[in-house]
Amino acid sequence: MTPPNPPAAPLRADCVGDSAGGLTFDVAARGNTGAALLILRRRDTDAEETVSLPLAPAAEGLLRAALPSSVALPEGRWDAYAALSDGEPRRLVPGVTDLRSLAARTPGGLLGHVAVRIPYATRQGNLTVRSWLRAPHAETAELGLVNGGLTVRGRVYGTQPTADAHAELRARTATDGGGGGVRRVDVVTDRADFDFTVRYDTLAPGDWDLWLRPAGESGPVVRLARLLDDVADKRPVLTYPRARVLTPDGPVEAGPYYTDDNDLSLSVVASTP
C-alpha cells in the first residue's frame, strides 16, 4: 500500500509595515511558482470578499506582494493565503513581523480617512490582517485614572474640532426612553487635540461606549479608539484598574477597557455595599 503524501509545508510570510500604513509581504516559496497571488479573504461576511495582490519574485526563493495604504481594505479581519502555479490557495503562517514604523506613525489624512492594517498570528498560528478604516478618526492617546473617574486625551484626524465639541457616553442598552442612555461630557480642545473627564458616579450599571462630536450636534459622530500602534487586539494587553464609587443606583465598580474592535468603552458593575 502506497503511503499517503505528507502534507505540504506551510508557506511562511514575513510582514513589514511602513509609515504610510501600507504592508509588504515576503513569502518564502522555491521552485516554479508560476503566476502567484497573495489573497486576503474577509471573515464573517455573507458574500465572499477578497483582495488579490500579485506576488512577484524579489530574490531567490522569495515572492513579494505590496498592500499600499491607497488600496481600500474595509474594516474587519482578513485571512491571508498564497496561490502558486494555479494551485489551490494555501493558508499563510507568519514569519518575521516588523511593525516598528506603525508605533511612530502620524497619519496625514490626505486620503480623507485613516487606514490601519496590523498583521497578527491567530490562535491556530495562521496569518491574518486586522484592518480599520475610519473617517474621521478619534485616537485615544492617554487614559488617566482620577478620583472616581477617568481622563481621556487624544487627537482627531480628518476633521478639526470646534468650540461646540463635546463627548458622549452611550449605554449599550438605553436605561429609559427619554435619553437616559446618553451622557454628554464637556471637552477641552487645542487644535486637533482633545481631553475630557468622565465621572463614574453619573453612570448606571452597564457598558458605555465613548464617542466624540468634534463639531457639536451638527457634525460627525466619531467612535473613540486606539488604533495607531502595532497591537492588533488591545483588550487582553491593555488593562486598567477599576474604581469603586457610589451612584444614585448604589455602589458600583467602574473602569475603562478596549473592545474587540479596539474601541474605548467603560464597564460599570453593581457591587455589594
Side-chain angles (χ1 to χ4, degrees):
M1 181 176 178
T2 303
N5 294 326
L11 292 174
R12 193 169 301 274
D14 297 338
C15 296
V16 179
D18 62 44
S19 59
L23 290 175
T24 299
F25 302 84
D26 285 344
V27 179
R30 298 191 176 277
N32 181 18
T33 58
L37 291 173
L38 186 140
I39 301 171
L40 299 174
R41 290 180 177 169
R42 191 181 181 190
R43 284 193 208 164
D44 303 325
T45 54
D46 294 335
E48 182 173 303
E49 189 173 357
T50 64
V51 171
S52 297
L53 306 169
L55 278 166
E60 180 65 29
L62 192 67
L63 300 174
R64 178 168 294 167
L67 176 65
S69 59
S70 57
V71 173
L73 196 66
E75 284 207 22
R77 298 179 189 268
W78 295 77
D79 296 330
Y81 298 79
L84 310 178
S85 304
D86 296 326
E88 287 294 319
R90 294 164 57 186
R91 197 74 166 87
L92 290 170
V93 299
V96 177
T97 301
D98 184 355
L99 304 178
R100 289 173 293 179
S101 63
L102 298 185
R105 180 186 173 206
T106 301
L110 297 178
L111 298 176
H113 61 257
V114 171
V116 179
R117 294 87 179 266
I118 304 178
Y120 69 97
T122 67
R123 293 179 180 177
Q124 294 74 34
N126 296 316
L127 176 63
T128 293
V129 176
R130 182 68 174 91
S131 174
W132 290 267
L133 195 64
R134 300 283 172 99
H137 169 54
E139 176 78 3
T140 60
E142 182 181 348
L143 302 182
L145 305 179
V146 297
N147 185 26
L150 176 76
T151 61
V152 180
R153 296 181 177 87
R155 172 168 291 187
V156 183
Y157 297 91
T159 190
Q160 192 72 21
T162 71
D164 296 323
H166 63 269
E168 287 183 351
L169 283 72
R170 299 183 177 184
R172 299 271 175 86
T173 302
T175 55
D176 60 43
V182 178
R183 298 287 187 273
R184 176 170 169 166
V185 180
D186 292 337
V187 169
V188 176
T189 62
D190 180 8
R191 297 184 181 180
D193 296 331
F194 64 86
D195 69 80
F196 61 89
T197 299
V198 177
R199 289 179 50 193
Y200 294 150
D201 61 7
T202 65
L203 304 178
D207 287 287
W208 296 78
D209 298 329
L210 277 70
W211 298 77
L212 185 70
R213 284 188 174 270
E217 297 292 341
S218 62
V221 184
V222 188
R223 187 74 164 92
L224 270 73
R226 182 165 176 171
L227 307 179
L228 300 177
D229 57 25
D230 58 354
V231 181
D233 291 299
K234 305 292 191 299
R235 190 164 190 170
V237 177
L238 301 179
T239 59
Y240 300 93
R242 300 176 63 81
R244 183 182 173 92
V245 298
L246 185 62
T247 75
D249 297 291
V252 301
E253 288 188 353
Y257 69 94
Y258 286 102
T259 70
D260 292 339
D261 291 326
N262 290 355
D263 298 325
L264 181 62
S265 294
L266 294 174
S267 169
V268 181
V269 179
S271 61
T272 303

